[in-house]
Amino acid sequence: MRQFSLLAAFGLVACSQPAPVESTHTGIDAADRVFSGGPIYTADDDCEQVELVAVREGMIVFAGNEADLPDGLIGETTDRIDLEGAAMYPGFTDSHVHVLGLGARERLLNLEGTDSIEDLQARVAEAAEDLPEGAVLQGRGWIETHWPEDRFPNRLDLDAAAPDIAVFLVRADGHALVANSRALERAGINAESVAPEGGDILRDEDGEPTGMLIDTAMDPVTALGGSFTGEDRANVYLEGAWSAARYGWTGGHDMSVPWADVAMIHELAEELPLRVYISANPDGLAPLAQDGYVVSDNRRVIARAVKLYMDGALGSRGAALLEPYSDDPGNSGLMLSQEDETLSAMVTALQNGVQLNIHAIGDRGNQLLLDWVEDALTAVPAEARALPQHRWRDEHTQIVDPADIPRFSELGVIPSMQPSHAIGDLFFAPDRLGPDRLDGAYAWRNLIDSGVVIAGGSDAPVERGDPRIEFYAAVARRALDGTQTGEWRPDQAVTRGEALRMFTAWPAYASFREDELGRIAEGLRADFTVFSDDIMTIPEAEILAVEPVMTVIDGEIVWQAE
């Protein structure tokens, strides 16, 4: 069962004839704004490229060749935007992002690019230098897989850098942290502590906590840091939205949002430079099921989905695997969900039209997700479901048993994947998984060929959140420095036409908005992303060097490069 037309995704189809001109073009007001002067890609199967796009009142009223422009559509008041050779696309949507986390990234100790434990210690020592005794220093963004020490950091490493304050540093994937001795003491974690269900406390050979906490075991320590509140929280959220807009994103599917934040985000709708589609925490299921969706008047904010978790992350060995980790034979990962509880949520969601977007990374996590979806669909027959298509999503879909790949199409489950995860994880995934399980790792090509669409995203702030990196990773399947080996399964790369749809048309489908977003076509909302060069034709390596030029939402330029 194909969920979306894929016919044009494998190559570009130029318009051989102008799009039909509706009678509404004649005898009416001129367009508010017209875009032309560069290649314009539509992600529309009927017409892959056009010369000119006209917008009125936030909607596309013409997309075609300039020679076919209806008389009167460009008037004295029309703002004519010359792209000056830059390339325009349907608005890019990050299908998996944490907007508040983007804003918080610059307010916490940012550990992106840390290249060793020694570097980590130096950054912590510098940040702690002026903090009073009793303070809490929190940071995020480190990943140890390239470090010369070839190990996780531990509490003693942090004690040496900052012994007098509590320090905890969250790994880039958000599924593990390292804490110093002061933080562990304040959180009540010691040799007698028992790891909670769905979490782990790593220990040294004497049974003492090393400072590394996995998934649910992190909670007592992260509570030390508190959270942004009130007006400050709203400002952090806006900062995150602006961070995304400056990269060229016009939309973001915001994941794991506390239900209490939905009202705040709704109130920000008129200020947001980003179209936000909310997947709430599980506490959002009951209000969504009982009261329906939350939709702002300008449709800039929509909440109609809930985020659940099956397992942990691969890097911290928390992803649930069918067989033990190759580099940790006693460990098969962590399950974060219980079958009865999850099936109950699934039944409620089907009966009330709530979309479920479910984190699954390991092959066991993904297999059980598909099993439980199948059970839920059996329990709730089609006539008892609120929607004809549930469009539930598998967030990450990183490691899949190849035998399970056809089941996504059969069960109507949409893989939601982040290409940058592959080009980062494939440096260490062979160690975690061994050679055979790589056949189902980040298997974009096989999934698309099985008949599903892929909603592409970044998982920022886990990753940088740059659409250029995500597009490059999808089509090149190489590291940013060009690294690629046979273990990386180069044949799983996608075409540029498919990559464009992964960030435009397919996210629109994955959020029930394909009739208003995701393509440049008459009658759709005028959301556009403009880059300095044509990512559909330039050499792969040059994709990383293009610059965001303009971000357009509802026909308004919300951000423009100086």
Side-chain angles (χ1 to χ4, degrees), residues 345-560:
M346 288 178 168
V347 167
T348 298
L350 284 172
Q351 293 171 334
N352 294 278
V354 178
Q355 186 184 41
L356 295 182
N357 300 330
I358 307 174
H359 165 118
I361 288 183
D363 53 8
R364 181 169 181 249
N366 280 290
Q367 187 175 93
L368 287 176
L369 167 57
L370 296 170
D371 289 347
W372 296 353
V373 169
E374 187 170 7
D375 290 344
L377 294 174
T378 300
V380 184
E383 62 272 16
R385 301 171 199 162
L387 298 174
Q389 295 177 329
H390 54 84
R391 300 192 193 182
W392 291 353
R393 293 160 45 166
D394 181 334
E395 299 298 327
H396 306 308
T397 327
Q398 287 185 10
I399 316 301
V400 179
D401 184 331
D404 284 328
I405 286 178
R407 300 178 67 199
F408 286 87
S409 178
E410 293 166 3
L411 296 170
V413 175
I414 301 169
S416 173
M417 306 178 75
Q418 301 74 47
S420 58
H421 284 343
I423 65 171
D425 291 3
L426 282 167
F427 281 101
F428 64 82
D431 292 335
R432 297 284 192 275
L433 301 172
D436 294 338
R437 284 183 286 194
L438 294 174
D439 288 341
Y442 318 94
W444 313 318
R445 170 83 279 130
N446 289 345
L447 283 161
I448 292 173
D449 287 349
S450 76
V452 297
V453 303
I454 294 175
S458 76
D459 202 8
V462 173
E463 303 285 355
R464 169 62 3 203
D466 187 333
R468 298 164 296 184
I469 293 175
E470 300 302 333
F471 190 94
Y472 164 83
V475 300
R477 205 170 170 97
R478 294 178 179 273
L480 301 184
D481 64 2
T483 297
Q484 184 189 74
T485 70
E487 291 179 320
W488 287 39
R489 304 301 193 267
D491 62 326
Q492 292 302 308
V494 304
T495 70
R496 298 200 196 197
E498 290 165 339
L500 179 62
R501 284 163 172 76
M502 284 174 67
F503 299 101
T504 58
W506 294 349
Y509 177 83
S511 56
F512 299 89
R513 304 192 74 178
E514 69 272 21
D515 291 335
E516 59 174 330
L517 297 174
R519 295 170 291 128
I520 295 178
E522 294 179 21
L524 273 64
R525 290 180 176 267
D527 289 8
F528 312 130
T529 295
V530 182
F531 291 125
S532 59
D533 210 338
D534 185 354
I535 60 174
M536 304 299 284
T537 60
I538 60 177
E540 287 176 350
E542 294 180 18
I543 293 170
L544 297 168
V546 303
E547 294 293 335
V549 172
M550 194 180 300
T551 305
V552 180
I553 302 180
D554 287 330
E556 297 296 324
I557 300 171
V558 299
W559 176 85
Q560 188 170 6

Side-chain angles (χ1 to χ4, degrees), residues 133-144:
E133 186 173 351
V136 177
L137 174 63
Q138 52 184 318
R140 177 168 180 161
W142 61 271
I143 186 165
E144 82 296 337

Side-chain angles (χ1 to χ4, degrees), residues 16 39 41 89 184 220 347 372 393 473:
S16 57
Y41 292 86
Y89 310 88
L184 293 174
V347 167
W372 296 353
R393 293 160 45 166

Side-chain angles (χ1 to χ4, degrees), residues 168 177 183-184 186-189 196 201 213 215-225:
F168 69 90
L177 65 76
L184 293 174
R186 288 179 59 175
I189 296 174
I201 301 171
L213 307 174
D215 286 309
T216 58
M218 300 162 56
D219 294 347
V221 169
T222 56
L224 300 176

